[in-house]
Amino acid sequence: RMALRRPRPGLGKGLFLLFWLAMMAGNGAANLLGRALGRVESRVEVPADPGLLFLVWLAVGLVPAVGEELLFRGLLQGWLRPYGSWLSIVGQAVLFALLHGSGPACLSALFGGLALGLCAEYSGSILWGMAFHLYNNTMALAAQYEVQYGSGLFVQLALQFGLPLVVLCLWLAEAGRPVGRKRPRLRPGLPVSALLKSPGWAASGAILLANVIFTTLR
């Protein structure tokens, strides 16, 4: 089961770097797709007032980070987990991505969903995923604040590159130390194609995909 339990020790830094690389790749791919489609993604307007900005951060940063991890990496991935690691990771990630509306946003979310699914599978907990998800949402808000007001660039760069650099240095410093326990491995099971034979998953995917096509082309 994926649960609000203490993550397996010794994996946090490596999982964060995995998530960061996935999101950088996903955002880059989404930008390329957006340019090819001639589409500019709409962003949440952030207020300049600190109090209102904090409320926006709660609404679009903290609440989705907690709620989406509980739903997708906790509930859905937990339900699919008995059928194998890859089926559960891909199964939740596809639905998570399709929930994001337009094509570019879905592509970026797919990278993130796969990375967060791997984090949950390796750590045995969704707590790291909540922290990483919140980090990504906060970074997006910082970027939007800088676009709107021409300030906050230091915070954006510190989150986007400074923090990963610090984590990378700490991870490299620990890389040569002996490990006293075996690292968790992905478990074999049903092939990912088995998801298409699940009426519930296939119907959910079809409905969300139709919405993505409509949102992208309208």
Side-chain angles (χ1 to χ4, degrees):
R1 295 182 302 169
M2 299 290 104
L4 292 167
R5 64 180 67 176
R6 181 180 179 182
R8 296 186 184 99
L11 299 173
K13 300 179 185 66
L15 293 177
F16 173 77
L17 294 173
L18 169 68
F19 173 75
W20 181 81
L21 288 172
M23 290 311 304
M24 291 299 103
N27 291 336
N31 288 335
L32 291 175
L33 180 59
R35 292 179 182 179
L37 296 173
R39 182 182 180 88
V40 178
E41 290 297 309
S42 61
R43 296 179 179 271
V44 175
E45 294 292 322
V46 295
D49 179 77
L52 293 177
L53 181 61
F54 176 72
L55 292 178
V56 170
W57 176 80
L58 288 177
V60 302
L62 180 62
V63 172
V66 174
E68 290 177 357
E69 291 310 304
L70 285 170
L71 176 59
F72 288 97
R73 264 62 68 178
L75 185 62
L76 184 55
Q77 187 169 338
W79 274 345
L80 295 173
R81 197 166 184 263
Y83 302 103
S85 294
W86 279 115
L87 184 139
S88 65
I89 291 169
V90 174
Q92 61 79 23
V94 169
L95 296 184
F96 172 72
L98 293 176
L99 192 67
H100 280 72
S102 67
C106 290
L107 183 58
S108 177
L110 179 62
F111 280 77
L114 291 171
L116 290 169
L118 284 168
C119 290
E121 182 69 20
Y122 277 125
S123 69
S125 171
I126 61 174
L127 290 179
W128 278 132
M130 287 182 177
F132 301 160
H133 201 147
L134 178 60
Y135 157 79
N136 184 71
N137 292 351
T138 303
M139 186 169 58
L141 282 177
Q144 179 62 15
Y145 189 92
E146 198 279 329
V147 168
Q148 287 183 221
Y149 304 108
S151 60
L153 182 60
F154 174 78
V155 175
Q156 179 191 351
L157 293 178
L159 288 172
Q160 189 168 2
F161 299 107
L163 180 59
L165 181 60
V166 171
V167 174
L168 175 62
C169 292
L170 294 174
W171 180 73
L172 290 174
E174 297 177 356
R177 298 179 183 178
V179 179
R181 65 186 69 192
K182 293 183 179 179
R183 296 297 189 191
R185 295 183 178 182
L186 299 179
R187 299 174 299 104
L190 295 178
V192 174
S193 59
L195 289 168
L196 298 176
K197 300 178 182 179
S198 168
W201 188 93
S204 300
I207 293 170
L208 291 173
L209 179 59
N211 178 66
V212 170
I213 295 173
F214 172 77
T215 304
T216 304
L217 299 181
R218 69 178 176 178

